[in-house]
């Protein structure tokens, strides 16, 4: 049976994991949030199919929500592109930390780079050693599929009726809480979690309006200078 560029032949040595079970927690956040995006996009005056196209070709989460009022205000695409770049700069650090895990196959590698959202990154970093390229790509494809499905449902609802989707914004916070717990359970040490908590507390005390940005910077700095017990120093 021929294989696709995205889904290579399964490796018999790969650990047995359920890709669907890994993706279900993400679906709990992506489907309702995708619905909100699709609904707002259509309510801003765009056709329903353009909302789905954005989720297929852009797939940028928060940046997609950001571009709705920008498109409605008639801002040029260059301004939207620059704003999207600034919002997604954190993915540079995500990608650097996954360089050794990303597959060698060009198509699979580039798709994982494109589909690397916060939630997909969280799932990929908890996969056991030896996880196959097929399994990694399947996780990313499923996660994007949930987002596209939610967008489609929200866009169709928005095109047919005036229904408020308020109250669904809790889903993103709940999703991040679940992913943080999974990261904590799979990690050898709880130190990264406590570093993040303390960093945010310090940032909130210093500059509440910029607490998240400062906390991210403090966490990155801590990761650069902190060496876990038992870690080997690099050879000169």
């Amino acid at each position: 049976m021929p294989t696709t560029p995205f889904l290579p032949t399964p490796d018999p040595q790969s650990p047995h994991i359920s890709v669907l079970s890994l993706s279900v927690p993400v679906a709990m956040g992506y489907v309702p949030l995708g619905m909100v995006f699709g609904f707002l996009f259509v309510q801003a005056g765009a056709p329903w199919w353009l909302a789905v196209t954005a989720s297929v070709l852009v797939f940028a989460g928060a940046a997609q929500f950001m571009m709705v009022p920008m498109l409605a205000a008639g801002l040029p695409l260059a301004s939207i592109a620059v704003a999207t770049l600034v919002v997604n700069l954190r993915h540079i650090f995500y990608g650097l930390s996954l360089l050794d895990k990303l597959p060698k196959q060009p198509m699979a590698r580039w798709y994982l780079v494109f589909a690397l959202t916060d939630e997909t990154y969280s799932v990929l970093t908890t996969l056991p050693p030896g996880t196959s390229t097929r399994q990694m790509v399947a996780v990313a494809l499923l996660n994007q599929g949930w987002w596209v499905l939610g967008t489609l449902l929200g866009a169709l609802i928005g095109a047919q009726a005036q229904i408020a989707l308020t109250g669904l914004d809790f889903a993103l916070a709940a999703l991040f809480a679940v992913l943080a717990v999974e990261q904590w359970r799979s990690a050898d040490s709880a130190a990264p979690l406590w570093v993040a908590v303390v960093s945010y507390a310090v940032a909130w005390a210093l500059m509440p309006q910029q607490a998240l940005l400062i906390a991210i910077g403090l966490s990155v700095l801590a990761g650069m200078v902190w060496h876990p017990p038992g870690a080997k120093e690099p050879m000169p």
Side-chain angles (χ1 to χ4, degrees):
M1 182 177 178
T3 59
T4 64
F6 279 172
L7 299 177
T9 304
D11 183 355
Q13 302 299 322
S14 298
H16 177 70
I17 57 175
S18 172
V19 172
L20 181 60
S21 66
L22 290 173
S23 185
V24 165
V26 178
M28 297 300 100
Y30 273 15
V31 172
L33 286 172
M35 289 178 63
V36 174
F37 166 72
F39 180 84
L40 293 177
F41 199 88
V42 170
Q43 291 296 301
W48 68 268
W49 59 265
L50 191 57
V52 177
T53 301
S55 288
V56 171
L57 299 181
V58 179
F59 189 39
Q64 288 182 237
F65 280 98
M66 176 193 65
M67 76 180 186
V68 173
M70 298 180 74
L71 286 172
L75 294 180
L77 290 179
S79 299
I80 298 175
V82 171
T84 302
L85 176 63
V86 172
V87 169
N88 289 329
L89 278 177
R90 66 190 185 282
H91 289 274
I92 295 176
F93 301 100
Y94 291 172
L96 289 175
S97 66
L98 280 178
L99 282 179
D100 294 335
K101 282 193 171 184
L102 290 177
K104 302 301 181 183
Q105 294 90 335
M107 291 290 288
R109 189 179 183 90
W110 280 109
Y111 175 71
L112 284 174
V113 170
F114 162 76
L116 191 61
T117 60
D118 300 338
E119 295 75 20
T120 298
Y121 172 83
S122 182
V123 174
L124 291 180
T125 53
T126 59
L127 294 177
T131 301
S132 70
T133 296
R134 185 184 186 91
Q135 291 167 328
M136 294 176 66
V137 173
V139 168
L141 277 171
L142 267 177
N143 289 352
Q144 185 177 10
W146 299 127
W147 182 261
V148 173
L149 174 62
T151 300
L152 175 62
L153 294 175
L156 292 178
I157 292 173
Q160 298 296 326
Q162 300 289 333
I163 302 176
L165 295 182
T166 55
L168 290 178
D169 50 354
F170 78 97
L172 185 58
L175 173 59
F176 274 111
V178 171
L179 294 174
V181 170
E182 290 300 317
Q183 286 279 341
W184 191 0
R185 293 174 57 186
S186 64
D188 296 329
S189 170
L193 178 62
W194 290 114
V195 166
V197 171
V198 173
S199 296
Y200 190 80
V202 172
W204 181 265
L206 294 176
M207 296 183 64
Q209 299 299 324
Q210 303 295 332
L212 181 59
L213 181 60
I214 296 174
I216 292 174
L218 291 176
S219 298
V220 171
L221 181 62
M224 294 173 62
V225 301
W226 177 68
H227 296 281
K232 296 182 179 180
E233 292 292 335
M235 296 295 291

